[in-house]
Each structure stands twice: as structure tokens, then as C-alpha cells.
Amino acid sequence: MKKILLLACCSLLLLWSCGETPVEKRRLTKAERERLKAEERQALKFGVLPTLDCLPLFVAKERGVFEKLGVDVRLRPCKAQMDIDTALVGGSMNGAVSDSVRVARMISRGTPLKSLGRSIADWQLIANRSARLKEVKQLGDKMVAMTRYSATDYLTDHVLKGVKTQATVYRVQINDVSLRLQMLLNNEMDALWLPEPQATVAREHGNTVLWDTRKAGMKLGRMVVREKDIADKRVREQVEKLVKGYNMACDSLNAKGLSAYGEVIVKYCHVEEKSIGALPKVRFEKLK
């Protein structure tokens, strides 16, 4: 009997020495999930697109600037601005990159937003080289890819105002900016609006720029946060640190140039490295 008890005790000791039981492991896994959920709730969530106007955010994240400032910023990559709008309205994002047209629409529909400042977002109306378009007036009976209720929708109105075309200009809603570029390269669209760096890729393939917001001096890009969220002191302090990190990244980008952050552009904007050298010179504006 003593030998049996001794063997039983040894077996228990062996089990304890080998680590956690399956039940304990499941409990720890659940605890870890709860911890991650809590961190997610406390983090500042900011919507971004694969575009050059978001580069200061990408740089600040990649270079650990936000971490050094003591703020947990979770960048939420989206393929289309409409996805960001949905997240802002629903409250799953605290802030995002946007444009003045979309911001005005969201505010008018009951989602108060505070502007942190302008971004460097620019758009170019680019015609498919196979369409042989040289002027905006030639867009009659052609398809132009854009997004409704956005800067590109507004810009389409703007460039066509007072212009007589021989037929109707067909607006086609293509929200995903990367898909929009691909449709141009595949000769599936006559013309479209593109931001950088996608516009550079389009130009490199020999497509024609019909109109450029930079030449018109139009700055429609915006960085915004939900007013309801920044009513909370903790979130407001997080936003202040995000702005500081963004501005630090702007200083670095302006001093070193885009080529110094080529790998960041490739990673977040999904363009080939060979396009980096062809990007236009830009100067990033600091937020308020």
C-alpha cells in the first residue's frame, strides 16, 4: 500500500513538474485574449489608405516614434475611403485620413469630426493612353473612375464645369484606389482620378495627365478625429501624441526626402521600388 501511495505521489509530482495542465493552458489562453482585447480598446485606432498622404503616419509607426512618445497607435489599413467612413461613423476608429468633401458629408449626417489639419493629398485625372485623350473636353462618352461623395466626385464636377463634351461623361464608382490603378493598366477604364504614389505608376506606363490639383492649388486632404472620442481626456492626450509623432515624421521626411523611406512606401502603398525615384518632390505639412 505504501508503495502504491509513493508511486501516486511521484506521478503527481511528475505532472506538476512538466508544466501546466490543459485546463490551465486554456485558462491562460483566454486570459491572454482578454488582455489583447483590453489593449485594443485602449489603443488609438486610426484609418489609413495606401497613399502618400499617409506616409508620416507610416514612418512614425515603422520607426517607433509613437512607441517612444508612449502612445499605442493602431493604424487600420483600408482599401477604400468608404470603408474608413463606415468605421468612423460606427466608432470602431477614433480618426482617419479623409478629404474635405467626405468630412462635410459625415458631419451633416450626424458624425461630428474635428480637423487636425490638412494632408498633402493631391489627385490627378489620368487618361488611358490607348484612349488618346489630350483634353478634358474629349471625355464625352468615356468612363471616368471616381468615388461618390468624395473629393474625386467634386473634382469631376469642377473640371467639367463650363466644358462642352460631345456626349455624356460616365462616372463609374471604383472605391479601391489600387483596383482603380489596375483597371487603367489593364485598359478597362478610359480615365480616372489617382492620388500618389498610384499616379506616378500610371504616368510611368505612359498614361496622360489631363488635370492636376497641385497646379490648381486645391488642397482637399484632411486628417480628422471623432469629437465624441476626444471628449475623453485619455483619448485627447493620445491624439496630442499622435500629432506630435506625425509632425516629427514630417520633419524627417522633409529633411531626408522620400527616397530615404522607400521601403516604407513599398510596404504600405504596395508599389514597386523602381517607382520611388519617379515620385514628385513633396513637402509635408504639420498638423495643428
Side-chain angles (χ1 to χ4, degrees):
M1 186 66 179
K2 289 182 179 179
K3 288 183 178 180
I4 294 173
L5 288 172
L6 182 61
L7 286 171
C9 289
C10 289
S11 298
L12 287 171
L13 287 170
L14 183 62
L15 284 171
W16 289 335
S17 65
C18 288
E20 302 146 353
T21 66
V23 174
E24 288 172 330
K25 286 182 179 179
R26 283 197 295 272
R27 187 182 300 121
L28 287 173
T29 302
K30 182 179 179 181
E32 181 69 9
R33 289 199 300 268
E34 291 302 319
R35 182 183 67 81
L36 292 174
K37 286 181 181 178
E39 288 180 358
E40 171 73 13
R41 286 193 296 269
Q42 294 297 311
L44 186 71
K45 294 163 281 292
F46 213 86
V48 292
L49 294 168
T51 51
L52 204 63
D53 53 317
C54 298
L55 187 55
L57 290 169
F58 300 150
V59 169
K61 186 68 175 180
E62 283 290 300
R63 295 297 187 263
V65 176
F66 292 139
E67 187 177 356
K68 291 176 184 176
L69 292 173
V71 58
D72 183 2
V73 176
R74 308 282 176 98
L75 298 182
R76 291 289 181 261
C78 291
K79 293 182 178 181
Q81 188 66 57
M82 290 185 72
D83 297 332
I84 288 181
D85 293 355
T86 300
L88 281 175
V89 171
S92 59
M93 287 181 189
N94 305 111
V97 295
S98 190
D99 65 60
S100 58
V101 178
R102 303 195 78 89
V103 170
R105 177 175 168 78
M106 281 187 279
I107 291 173
S108 70
R109 294 168 69 88
T111 303
L113 299 169
K114 175 181 172 59
S115 175
L116 298 176
R118 299 191 310 188
S119 72
I120 63 152
D122 288 299
W123 289 268
Q124 293 173 40
L125 178 58
I126 300 180
N128 192 317
R129 63 179 182 177
S130 64
R132 298 181 181 180
L133 303 175
K134 301 296 181 183
E135 300 178 77
V136 172
K137 67 181 182 180
Q138 296 176 306
L139 287 173
D141 201 33
K142 302 297 182 183
M143 295 185 296
V144 178
M146 37 67 70
T147 302
R148 285 188 304 165
Y149 313 120
S150 73
T152 55
D153 197 5
Y154 168 81
L155 289 169
T156 304
D157 284 336
H158 182 81
V159 299
L160 291 174
K161 187 176 182 180
V163 175
K164 292 185 178 181
T165 58
Q166 292 182 347
T168 301
V169 178
Y170 299 102
R171 304 186 191 200
V172 182
Q173 180 163 313
I174 307 295
N175 300 318
D176 184 330
V177 67
S178 298
L179 175 60
R180 204 181 298 169
L181 171 62
Q182 200 58 48
M183 291 181 74
L184 176 71
L185 300 182
N186 291 340
N187 295 319
E188 297 171 335
M189 193 60 57
D190 298 311
L192 38 68
W193 289 97
L194 288 175
E196 292 291 359
Q198 290 78 16
T200 290
V201 176
R203 293 195 308 273
E204 284 188 306
H205 281 78
N207 297 292
T208 306
V209 178
L210 300 180
W211 207 83
D212 190 335
T213 56
R214 290 173 300 178
K215 293 181 179 180
M218 300 177 73
K219 296 294 182 181
L220 302 178
R222 295 292 183 272
M223 304 277 288
V224 297
V225 290
R226 285 165 45 94
E227 286 195 359
K228 183 178 180 180
D229 292 354
I230 59 173
D232 183 283
K233 181 182 178 182
R234 179 184 60 80
V235 178
R236 189 164 60 250
E237 290 175 348
Q238 287 179 312
V239 171
E240 290 171 358
K241 291 179 180 179
L242 176 135
V243 169
K244 184 176 181 179
Y246 181 98
N247 290 344
M248 290 169 65
C250 286
D251 286 337
S252 184
L253 281 162
N254 291 335
K256 298 179 181 179
L258 296 177
S259 59
Y261 295 98
E263 78 283 2
V264 179
I265 299 173
V266 170
K267 177 179 178 179
Y268 285 92
C269 299
H270 317 305
V271 294
E272 295 182 4
E273 190 173 355
K274 63 181 182 180
S275 298
I276 305 303
L279 288 170
K281 291 183 179 180
V282 296
R283 183 165 186 83
F284 290 86
E285 294 185 34
K286 291 185 179 182
L287 301 178
K288 297 176 182 177

